[in-house]
């Protein structure tokens, strides 16, 4: 096992070419501050660039996958430039996960909220623990989604369900996410990491070139509007951050 160091993310490569990337701010349910956002992007970029890594697992330390935007930090963008920079940092992670060169297995434990739910959806093989839950509070916060989910979600669950999830921000348990096609597999909590490792090792055993091509071509064919979605999401989120209503709602946590 080889370990790589990031401030808020653990990254460990095993002898089978599987790199496990673990969000590591468990005291706040792995909420996304700027350091974590940048570390996630870097950890996946490094994994994509490393010839010894053939598949990745993304998971969260402690009792959550990721609770989204760090609501305790109270550091939110004040200018359009800062807002755009923040969204682009989040989307840098989405690029490295969804549009990277290697398959990513999600091992989703506990809560996956907002940007954290988006990262779960960004994974190629999202495996959810039975007790895990996800929801999108973005619209209720006067914000917008950022992780290409306006393209991914309708493709995975259909437009009606995507609308319901994004507008109302209801909470969904793993079993329902499995039924609607958002979880690739739902497993007992105790079996989560073993199932993720087994899946990642199967992927790591496949030929690198065809796996890489399959990921690229499937995304291009099934999600032709993904890049456009990322641009539109950026503009909508920046506009959200610039509205004083958002600051009021975010600070209510
Ligand atoms: C429903 C919850 C996720 C979990 O509830 P519960 O199991 O009862 O756990 P808590 O007691 O509430 O939380 C445990 C501790 O973690 C802290 N915490 C939880 N979430 C956050 C967070 N998002 N940021 C900071 N800290 C958090 C919580 O304060 C507890 O700490 P203490 O034990 O010290 O008190 C519930 O926690 C919840 O609803 N959390 C808020 C989720 C949320 O609103 N997230 C934002 C989503 S929007 C978003 O992600 C948008 C973007 C777009 C723009 C920029 C950046 C990122 O994403």
């Amino acid at each position: 096992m080889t370990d790589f160091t990031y401030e808020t993310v653990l990254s460990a490569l095993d002898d089978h070419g599987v790199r496990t990337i673990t969000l590591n701010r468990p005291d706040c349910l792995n909420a996304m501050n700027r350091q974590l956002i940048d570390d996630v992007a870097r950890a996946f970029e490094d994994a994509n660039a490393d010839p010894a890594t053939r598949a990745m697992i993304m998971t969260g330390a402690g009792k959550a996958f990721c609770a989204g935007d760090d609501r305790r930090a109270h550091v939110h963008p004040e200018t359009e430039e800062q807002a755009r920079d923040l969204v682009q940092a989040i989307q840098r992670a989405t690029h490295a996960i969804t549009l990277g060169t290697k398959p990513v297995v999600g091992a989703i434990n506990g809560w996956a909220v907002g940007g954290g739910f988006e990262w779960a959806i960004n994974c190629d093989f999202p495996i959810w623990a039975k007790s895990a839950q996800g929801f999108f509070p973005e619209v209720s916060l006067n914000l917008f989604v950022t992780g290409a989910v306006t393209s991914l979600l309708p493709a995975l669950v259909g437009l009606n369900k995507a609308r319901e999830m994004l507008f109302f921000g209801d909470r969904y348990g793993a079993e329902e996410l499995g039924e609607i096609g958002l979880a690739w597999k739902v497993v007992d909590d105790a079996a989560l990491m073993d199932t993720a490792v087994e899946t990642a090792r199967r992927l790591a055993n496949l030929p690198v070139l065809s796996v890489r091509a399959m990921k690229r071509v499937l995304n291009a064919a099934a999600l032709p509007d993904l890049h456009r979605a990322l641009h539109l999401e950026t503009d909508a989120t920046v506009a959200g951050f610039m509205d004083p209503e958002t600051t009021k709602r975010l600070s209510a946590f």
Side-chain angles (χ1 to χ4, degrees):
M1 188 77 82
T2 315
D3 290 317
F4 301 85
T5 311
Y6 306 86
E7 205 172 300
T8 60
V9 164
L10 309 172
S11 175
L13 175 65
D14 72 11
D15 297 338
H16 300 260
V18 172
R19 201 192 283 228
T20 300
I21 293 173
T22 306
L23 315 192
N24 194 31
R25 299 183 75 215
D27 58 317
C28 58
L29 308 186
N30 303 313
M32 297 159 75
N33 63 0
R34 183 57 192 259
Q35 183 70 47
L36 181 116
I37 292 166
D38 289 342
D39 284 349
V40 167
R42 256 183 247 128
F44 276 97
E45 284 169 1
D46 291 349
N48 280 317
D50 172 27
T53 300
R54 298 168 70 100
M56 284 84 96
I57 296 172
M58 182 178 197
T59 193
K63 59 178 193 151
F65 180 70
C66 174
D69 177 49
D70 189 334
R71 306 272 310 263
R72 288 200 302 210
H74 298 302
V75 187
H76 290 105
E78 286 171 4
T79 65
E80 212 173 301
E81 206 179 7
Q82 289 170 354
R84 200 164 289 278
D85 183 65
L86 174 65
V87 177
Q88 281 166 357
I90 299 169
Q91 293 188 341
R92 191 179 142 205
T94 294
H95 268 270
I97 300 165
T98 303
L99 300 171
T101 51
K102 293 164 189 175
V104 181
V105 176
I108 295 119
N109 50 315
W111 289 102
V113 186
F117 198 5
E118 297 172 21
W119 276 346
I121 293 168
N122 286 163
C123 295
D124 301 300
F125 291 90
I127 303 172
W128 285 65
K130 248 183 205 152
S131 69
Q133 296 181 66
F135 65 101
F136 291 113
E138 279 91 335
V139 166
S140 68
L141 293 167
N142 201 31
L143 275 172
F144 205 79
V145 287
T146 50
V149 289
T150 52
S151 165
L152 282 158
L153 203 57
L156 289 163
V157 303
L159 190 51
N160 279 337
K161 194 71 185 176
R163 280 198 185 101
E164 174 196 301
M165 297 179 80
L166 292 168
F167 277 92
F168 297 127
D170 294 337
R171 297 178 180 197
Y172 298 87
E175 308 242 23
E176 184 173 356
L177 296 176
E179 281 157 22
I180 63 176
L182 209 54
W184 174 60
K185 273 188 182 175
V186 179
V187 298
D188 286 335
D189 292 12
L192 181 66
M193 281 319 289
D194 283 350
T195 312
V197 169
E198 186 190 306
T199 305
R201 285 186 181 169
R202 277 188 74 187
L203 291 161
N205 270 331
L206 295 168
V208 171
L209 198 72
S210 56
V211 165
R212 185 181 183 147
M214 185 57 76
K215 177 159 173 155
R216 181 172 45 79
V217 176
L218 258 183
N219 277 335
L223 306 163
D225 288 335
L226 193 139
H227 289 278
R228 187 161 170 269
L230 285 166
H231 287 299
L232 295 171
E233 289 172 2
T234 304
D235 290 344
T237 308
V238 170
F241 272 123
M242 290 304 99
D243 186 343
E245 175 69 19
T246 309
T247 317
K248 212 162 68 189
R249 288 181 179 238
L250 278 173
S251 54
F253 182 60

